[in-house]
Amino acid sequence: MRITVDRGLCDGLGQCTLVAPEVFELNDDERLEVAPDPAPELAAKVTAAARACPVRAISVEGA
């Protein structure tokens, strides 16, 4: 699974971190960090987290 975050769109609102905290985390600077190789069984949560993003900054391929 490939997760891409458009840093220009991401506002650091953190909706994705609520849906899939195993994969998404806001650092101290409010920048989104993504786990480098999330487990395949998290694909549904990652897809839901991308849908939860209010600015559609997250795209997921191969989930």
Side-chain angles (χ1 to χ4, degrees), residues 5-6 8-13 15 50-58:
V5 177
D6 183 330
L9 287 177
C10 182
D11 286 337
L13 298 171
Q15 296 302 308
R51 282 194 305 263
C53 179
V55 296
R56 302 291 184 243
I58 302 169

Side-chain angles (χ1 to χ4, degrees), residues 3-59:
I3 303 167
T4 306
V5 177
D6 183 330
R7 304 285 178 191
L9 287 177
C10 182
D11 286 337
L13 298 171
Q15 296 302 308
C16 58
T17 66
L18 298 174
V19 177
E22 308 90 337
V23 179
F24 300 99
E25 180 180 3
L26 289 176
N27 66 19
D28 293 338
D29 295 327
E30 303 270 326
R31 288 189 45 92
L32 185 63
E33 295 187 12
V34 181
D37 191 23
E41 59 267 14
L42 294 174
K45 286 181 92 171
V46 170
T47 301
R51 282 194 305 263
C53 179
V55 296
R56 302 291 184 243
I58 302 169
S59 63

